[in-house]
Amino acid sequence: MGYSLVPYISQAEIAAAVQQLAKQIDQDYAGQSLVIVAVLKGAFVFVADLVRQLRSPIQRIELLRLSSYGAATTSSGQVQVLVGLDAAAIAQQPVLLVEDIVDTGRSTAVALNLLRDCYPASVKLCSLLDKPARRTTPVQIDYLGITVEDRFIVGYGLDWNERHRELPAIYAVKQESATAVEGRLDSAK
Ligand code: 5GP
Ligand code: MG
């Protein structure tokens, strides 16, 4: 089945949101040295931009890898821990968990539980995007960039079956019916 990508959040809107988030985090942490924990793979672009906007000192950047989607456009509900946390890096430290998007909330809840098992001094959650319509597991987002509708989106780290992470802006995936695709192919002949 064919699909097209419809512009949804521009590079400028993303940049403004990242800057605003960095400002809030800097104000709250007031010079405290942070441990950043980013959830891979989706958050890799966002965290790279965020850390370069922060003025707060960063002690270290840790990467946690979770997986829930597979090739589908809705969450499978099963969250797998593919790469876990280094507990010694987290213990007694102020931790900022960085997510690309909170959708059902399941993977964020898993990440928060993994973190708490490492006894950090504090944990706050920063997510670029929030899709509240699909929430099944409540999570408190301390720093939120942009609220999105219940649509499947790609770009800026977010993939569809591993594709489109490299796009600098965010797009909604529009599925085209088989007949529409055939019609387009016919007219291209
Ligand atoms: P959860 O449902 O556990 O809150 O979300 C898990 C993960 O699914 C997110 O971190 C993100 O990587 C992925 N995800 C959720 N919504 C979308 C979406 O609209 N597009 C893409 N590409 N990934 C999403
Ligand atoms: Mg994610």
Side-chain angles (χ1 to χ4, degrees):
M1 195 158 63
Y3 66 97
S4 54
L5 299 182
V6 181
Y8 190 59
I9 306 173
S10 69
Q11 272 182 269
E13 284 174 90
I14 296 169
V18 173
Q19 205 165 38
Q20 185 57 37
L21 288 168
K23 207 167 132 186
Q24 285 174 31
I25 294 163
D26 281 338
Q27 275 170 7
D28 289 0
Y29 284 88
Q32 231 186 119
S33 176
L34 276 174
V35 172
I36 304 274
V37 176
V39 184
L40 295 179
K41 295 177 186 175
F44 84 104
V45 177
F46 172 47
V47 77
D49 281 346
L50 182 70
V51 294
R52 287 178 292 175
Q53 291 296 322
L54 287 172
R55 294 287 162 264
S56 309
I58 294 173
Q59 266 184 60
R60 58 166 78 221
I61 298 171
E62 293 291 313
L63 304 169
L64 170 65
R65 186 164 168 213
L66 301 178
S67 172
S68 69
Y69 262 49
T73 56
T74 52
S75 196
S76 68
Q78 296 290 330
V79 179
Q80 281 175 277
V81 182
L82 301 178
V83 179
L85 289 166
D86 173 5
I90 307 290
Q92 323 285 322
Q93 304 306 320
V95 172
L96 183 67
L97 179 66
V98 177
E99 277 274 22
D100 49 359
I101 184 167
V102 182
D103 183 23
T104 64
R106 286 193 199 101
S107 29
T108 306
V110 168
L112 288 169
N113 283 335
L114 290 171
L115 276 173
R116 290 190 183 117
D117 288 344
C118 302
Y119 301 100
S122 63
V123 180
K124 282 193 171 187
L125 171 65
C126 172
S127 183
L128 177 65
L129 303 165
D130 180 19
K131 205 194 276 183
R134 291 190 14 99
R135 194 81 86 255
T136 55
T137 306
V139 287
Q140 183 194 321
I141 307 176
D142 301 291
Y143 305 100
L144 169 65
I146 300 165
T147 300
V148 297
E149 301 160 282
D150 186 6
R151 300 179 74 169
F152 189 73
I153 52 184
V154 295
Y156 199 72
L158 293 164
D159 71 307
W160 184 14
N161 205 7
E162 295 305 323
R163 293 200 56 203
H164 306 308
R165 293 191 197 275
E166 72 282 10
L167 296 174
I170 294 174
Y171 296 81
V173 174
K174 189 176 165 203
Q175 306 256 10
E176 290 165 6
S177 69
T179 46
V181 175
E182 277 162 23
R184 211 182 50 193
L185 291 176
D186 282 348
S187 62
K189 273 180 198 160

